[in-house]
Amino acid sequence: MENKPVILIVNDDGYEAKGLKAMVEIAKDFGEVYVVTPDSSRSGMSHAITIGTPLRLRKYHQEEGVEYWRTNGTPVDCVKLGQRVLLKDRKIDLVLSGINHGSNSSASVIYSGTMAGAIEASFEYPAIGISLLDYAPDADFTAAIHFGKIIVEKVLKEGLPEHVCLNVNVPVLPIEQIKGIKITRQTNGYWEEEFVEQSDPYGGKCYWLSGHLVDIDHKEDSCQWALDNGYISVQPVQYDLTAYSALNNIKYLEDEFKR
Amino acid sequence: MENKPVILIVNDDGYEAKGLKAMVEIAKDFGEVYVVTPDSSRSGMSHAITIGTPLRLRKYHQEEGVEYWRTNGTPVDCVKLGQRVLLKDRKIDLVLSGINHGSNSSASVIYSGTMAGAIEASFEYPAIGISLLDYAPDADFTAAIHFGKIIVEKVLKEGLPEHVCLNVNVPVLPIEQIKGIKITRQTNGYWEEEFVEQSDPYGGKCYWLSGHLVDIDHKEDSCQWALDNGYISVQPVQYDLTAYSALNNIKYLEDEFKR
């Protein structure tokens, strides 16, 4: 046990999600596993952190090689609690986030709690977020587990570039119909919102956020193309948001103020 | 009025923040202004959206050229409600977010509700997030307003590269001591968490998230260097999270599965 990698698992669908069990299934072959998850669904929480409210951290289950903890925090809080409280005296070798129920391709990566967990971890550790393109609570994770194991084994052996995590998306296909894996970039696209307007029982107006992803890319190196064509998409993701290509285009602002 | 630019203002400190009044002060000289803000502080909410709970949108004030609306949503919800509900039949010319009470330099940009508002807007519009390096509720926004006006005027005239917004941070200095403006990139750094452990009145353990920013960069083109040396920092920011430099380094994953 002593020499096994230490693997921290977080998610955004909460401690009861089937996708979490699937991720434990992937991880437990490779190391000593610690699960820290929200106590309910935190989808769409992105990189939110909990400020001004105390966090709880409670162990709710244990099995051979796996400890399960849950918290009232966000997915990013789960990473921070895992590294700074639960495993503060241990070296973490890998952080896994998910398996998410639903796609995190294209612009979805921005809103995703699953990917925020992986991105937060990538400040210090190799990290992988995995998502299956099926929102159903009883989704079939067989292919995601199969390919997840292969990817985790490779990453534990080869490592990842510093401060880079992986956004892995798995199409809803049986293992034998998946054509392979493609390294991809984020699809150029956006969420087109459709607010559904309703009246509450007291006559007040309210709006339910709804919508769909619009792909304006369609190129072969984009994540959405890979998924639409039967591949698993692996997008390397970074937390440096600088638009480097724009640095020279906005120099007009600098000139204005030179002293 | 007809030909004036339409400007949408959002923030994450809520509708009562002094920084919001400062942003209105900047914007009202340039256009027809619509304010959509959270009904309380939403700091650290990042790019979170509200799923599964209906959103409210209520007008709470009006003055010449400025309409004020508030919602139970996040900063990103404010942008979506502004564009898809309040201004659905209008063309938005510019989205402003802030002025934030507190820095959004370095890794803070990831957690920031203020910058998430600007990033969300940048899918469709030119957008600027402005932050003052002072968390105090009664912070002095004089210099931020002064330079904010100059930046907004320039951006309205020159525009921004597509899908790029600005992360403007203003040091706590009087106008005449600010050395100028620098176009910067995100400082290489991270938040070092310190969870403060306490017992609740019932004997349960809880953890308060605290911490400080660690700068491991110190180079002259980084945002933190600019701020530490008396400059206003303007970082161009994009929502494409792809780590392009890593695309070739992880090809080993693709090879594994070629069919």
Side-chain angles (χ1 to χ4, degrees):
Chain A
M1 202 64 171
E2 297 304 322
N3 294 322
K4 274 187 146 182
V6 172
I7 301 176
L8 172 65
I9 295 179
V10 302
N11 82 347
D12 77 348
D13 289 319
Y15 76 106
E16 294 174 306
K18 190 177 174 191
L20 178 63
K21 293 177 187 71
M23 192 65 106
V24 171
E25 187 70 27
I26 291 174
K28 69 182 185 187
D29 284 355
F30 299 105
E32 193 180 339
V33 177
Y34 296 85
V35 172
V36 181
T37 62
D39 54 17
S40 65
S41 173
R42 297 290 199 288
S43 288
M45 281 305 279
S46 184
H47 219 93
I49 50 176
T50 302
I51 302 171
T53 302
L55 293 171
R56 308 288 180 162
L57 181 63
R58 292 204 175 109
K59 193 179 191 171
Y60 66 92
H61 185 59
Q62 172 144 22
E63 57 197 32
E64 203 191 319
V66 191
E67 277 188 21
Y68 294 84
W69 298 71
R70 67 185 184 221
T71 173
N72 54 328
T74 66
V76 170
D77 291 331
C78 289
V79 174
K80 290 179 185 293
L81 285 167
Q83 66 184 140
R84 305 283 180 231
V85 177
L86 186 61
L87 298 167
K88 67 179 173 185
D89 301 319
R90 304 290 302 273
K91 182 184 161 291
I92 295 174
D93 296 288
L94 180 66
V95 177
L96 300 174
S97 186
I99 297 176
N100 191 58
H101 293 245
S103 171
N104 278 315
S105 72
S106 188
S108 299
V109 66
I110 308 275
Y111 307 96
S112 166
T114 300
M115 280 312 300
I119 292 168
E120 175 65 25
S122 74
F123 280 93
E124 283 194 48
Y125 317 109
I128 307 171
I130 305 182
S131 305
L132 176 69
L133 273 64
D134 187 346
Y135 287 93
D138 66 343
D140 180 357
F141 287 92
T142 310
I145 292 169
H146 175 84
F147 287 101
K149 282 184 181 177
I150 297 174
I151 292 171
V152 165
E153 185 171 19
K154 277 281 197 178
V155 166
L156 279 170
K157 191 173 156 223
E158 306 280 344
L160 289 177
E162 205 180 21
H163 306 318
V164 168
C165 63
L166 301 183
N167 180 17
V168 177
N169 281 275
V170 180
V172 184
L173 290 171
I175 293 173
E176 61 279 8
Q177 284 180 33
I178 290 179
K179 286 192 198 147
I181 190 169
K182 272 185 89 78
I183 307 301
T184 62
R185 59 166 177 78
Q186 188 172 318
T187 303
N188 190 4
Y190 58 91
W191 270 94
E192 175 76 48
E193 291 82 24
E194 293 149 10
F195 280 101
V196 178
E197 187 179 323
Q198 286 186 343
S199 292
D200 66 26
Y202 323 104
K205 243 195 281 190
C206 63
Y207 304 90
W208 298 85
L209 179 57
S210 176
H212 63 279
L213 208 53
V214 180
D215 182 348
I216 53 173
D217 194 316
H218 306 294
K219 297 212 181 67
E220 286 203 19
D221 59 343
S222 76
C223 58
Q224 197 57 51
W225 187 94
L227 293 164
D228 291 345
N229 287 276
Y231 292 89
I232 288 171
S233 163
V234 176
Q235 177 202 3
V237 164
Q238 65 184 21
Y239 56 76
D240 181 351
L241 304 187
T242 307
Y244 286 95
S245 64
L247 285 170
N248 283 323
N249 298 336
I250 58 170
K251 281 285 178 191
Y252 68 83
L253 285 165
E254 203 168 59
D255 294 344
E256 179 74 6
F257 304 112
K258 235 160 217 160
R259 293 201 174 167
Chain B
M1 204 63 169
E2 297 306 321
N3 294 321
K4 273 186 147 181
V6 172
I7 300 176
L8 172 65
I9 295 179
V10 302
N11 82 345
D12 78 347
D13 289 319
Y15 76 106
E16 295 175 306
K18 190 178 173 190
L20 178 63
K21 293 178 187 70
M23 192 64 106
V24 171
E25 187 70 27
I26 292 174
K28 68 182 184 186
D29 285 355
F30 299 105
E32 193 181 339
V33 177
Y34 295 86
V35 173
V36 181
T37 61
D39 54 17
S40 65
S41 173
R42 297 289 200 287
S43 288
M45 281 304 280
S46 185
H47 219 92
I49 49 176
T50 302
I51 302 171
T53 301
L55 293 172
R56 308 289 179 161
L57 182 62
R58 293 204 174 109
K59 193 177 190 171
Y60 65 93
H61 185 57
Q62 172 145 21
E63 59 197 30
E64 203 191 318
V66 191
E67 278 187 21
Y68 294 84
W69 297 72
R70 68 185 183 221
T71 174
N72 54 329
T74 66
V76 170
D77 291 331
C78 290
V79 174
K80 290 179 185 292
L81 286 168
Q83 65 183 140
R84 305 283 181 228
V85 177
L86 186 60
L87 298 167
K88 68 178 172 186
D89 301 319
R90 303 292 302 275
K91 181 183 161 292
I92 295 174
D93 296 288
L94 180 66
V95 177
L96 299 174
S97 186
I99 297 175
N100 192 58
H101 293 245
S103 172
N104 278 315
S105 71
S106 189
S108 299
V109 66
I110 307 276
Y111 308 95
S112 166
T114 300
M115 280 313 300
I119 292 168
E120 175 66 24
S122 74
F123 279 95
E124 283 195 48
Y125 318 109
I128 308 171
I130 305 181
S131 305
L132 177 69
L133 273 64
D134 187 345
Y135 287 93
D138 66 343
D140 180 357
F141 286 92
T142 310
I145 292 170
H146 175 83
F147 287 101
K149 282 184 181 178
I150 298 174
I151 293 171
V152 166
E153 185 171 18
K154 277 282 198 178
V155 166
L156 279 171
K157 192 172 153 222
E158 307 279 344
L160 289 177
E162 206 180 21
H163 307 318
V164 168
C165 64
L166 301 183
N167 179 17
V168 176
N169 281 275
V170 180
V172 184
L173 289 171
I175 294 173
E176 62 279 8
Q177 284 180 34
I178 290 179
K179 286 191 197 148
I181 190 170
K182 272 185 89 78
I183 307 300
T184 61
R185 59 165 177 78
Q186 189 172 318
T187 303
N188 190 4
Y190 57 91
W191 270 93
E192 175 75 48
E193 291 81 25
E194 293 149 10
F195 280 101
V196 178
E197 186 179 326
Q198 286 186 342
S199 292
D200 67 27
Y202 324 103
K205 244 196 276 188
C206 62
Y207 304 90
W208 298 85
L209 179 56
S210 175
H212 62 280
L213 208 54
V214 180
D215 183 349
I216 53 173
D217 194 316
H218 307 294
K219 298 212 180 66
E220 286 203 19
D221 59 344
S222 76
C223 59
Q224 198 56 52
W225 187 95
L227 293 164
D228 291 345
N229 286 276
Y231 292 89
I232 287 170
S233 163
V234 176
Q235 177 203 3
V237 164
Q238 66 183 21
Y239 56 77
D240 181 352
L241 304 186
T242 308
Y244 286 94
S245 64
L247 284 171
N248 283 324
N249 298 336
I250 57 170
K251 282 284 178 192
Y252 67 83
L253 285 164
E254 201 168 62
D255 295 342
E256 179 74 5
F257 305 112
K258 233 160 222 162
R259 290 195 178 172

